């Protein structure tokens, strides 16, 4: 069974992230239509995404999705370095952690779970920093307000 590539907070988000996305490569024109296709159609049409140039160095300013074009806004902001903001016009916006495509499956699975936890207080750069440090991250996560043992 393939690992989930997208995991969203089940209800309303109360943290800096609404979930996580693990694309398979760094070609946004290939990966973005897959992301859009995996979102619930009831959220409306994805009209724009904001991505960091560090994660998507070759991204174009428009990406074709089934039935429409998505505007791509590129930013050099450190806060957006490993995140994607998905705008749905009238339905709102979602901030997702973008897990690097070459991340090991074990680490990616933990990041998907942590980012989609409604009690997660950590930003995309902070979650990735914990994963890249090789630390378990659970103690840090809990000390910064994450949910304790369940």
């Amino acid at each position: 069974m393939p690992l989930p590539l997208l995991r969203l907070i089940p209800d309303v988000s109360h943290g800096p992230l609404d979930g996580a996305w693990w694309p398979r490569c760094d070609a946004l024109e290939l990966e973005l239509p897959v992301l859009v296709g995996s979102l619930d159609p009831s959220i409306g049409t994805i009209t724009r995404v904001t991505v960091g140039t560090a994660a998507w160095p070759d991204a174009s300013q428009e990406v074709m999705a089934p039935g429409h074009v998505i505007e791509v806004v590129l930013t050099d902001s450190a806060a957006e370095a490993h995140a994607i903001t998905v705008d749905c016009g009238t339905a709102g916006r979602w901030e997702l952690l973008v897990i690097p495509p070459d991340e090991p499956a074990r680490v990616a699975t933990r990041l998907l779970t942590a980012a989609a936890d409604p009690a997660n207080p950590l930003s995309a750069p902070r979650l990735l920093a914990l994963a890249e440090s090789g630390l378990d991250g659970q103690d840090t996560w809990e000390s910064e307000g994450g949910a304790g043992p369940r």
Side-chain angles (χ1 to χ4, degrees), residues 25-43:
C25 71
D26 66 358
L28 191 62
E29 69 277 3
L30 297 175
E31 294 292 337
L32 188 56
V34 175
L35 172 63
V36 169
S38 64
L39 293 170
D40 185 342
S42 70
I43 66 168

Side-chain angles (χ1 to χ4, degrees), residues 6-146:
L6 175 68
R7 191 166 293 164
L8 300 172
I9 290 177
D11 293 316
V12 177
S13 174
H14 298 289
L17 294 172
D18 300 299
W21 175 44
W22 187 25
R24 294 297 184 200
C25 71
D26 66 358
L28 191 62
E29 69 277 3
L30 297 175
E31 294 292 337
L32 188 56
V34 175
L35 172 63
V36 169
S38 64
L39 293 170
D40 185 342
S42 70
I43 66 168
T45 301
I46 308 299
T47 57
R48 175 181 19 193
V49 297
T50 303
V51 297
T53 54
W56 305 101
D58 298 322
S60 65
Q61 294 182 337
E62 292 183 336
V63 171
M64 290 298 301
H68 69 288
V69 176
I70 300 171
E71 176 188 2
V72 177
V73 178
L74 300 171
T75 180
D76 289 328
S77 166
E80 295 285 340
H82 296 287
I84 184 169
T85 302
V86 178
D87 290 309
C88 300
T90 59
R93 70 177 7 166
W94 289 267
E95 183 79 15
L96 303 175
L97 164 69
V98 175
I99 300 167
D102 60 351
E103 199 68 56
R106 180 182 61 79
V107 174
T109 300
R110 289 181 55 217
L111 287 167
L112 284 160
T113 301
D117 184 334
N120 170 46
L122 303 177
S123 66
R126 186 73 179 124
L127 274 175
L128 277 175
L130 286 174
E132 290 171 3
S133 71
L135 300 174
D136 179 348
Q138 185 68 28
D139 293 337
T140 302
W141 186 59
E142 289 174 9
S143 73
E144 293 185 18

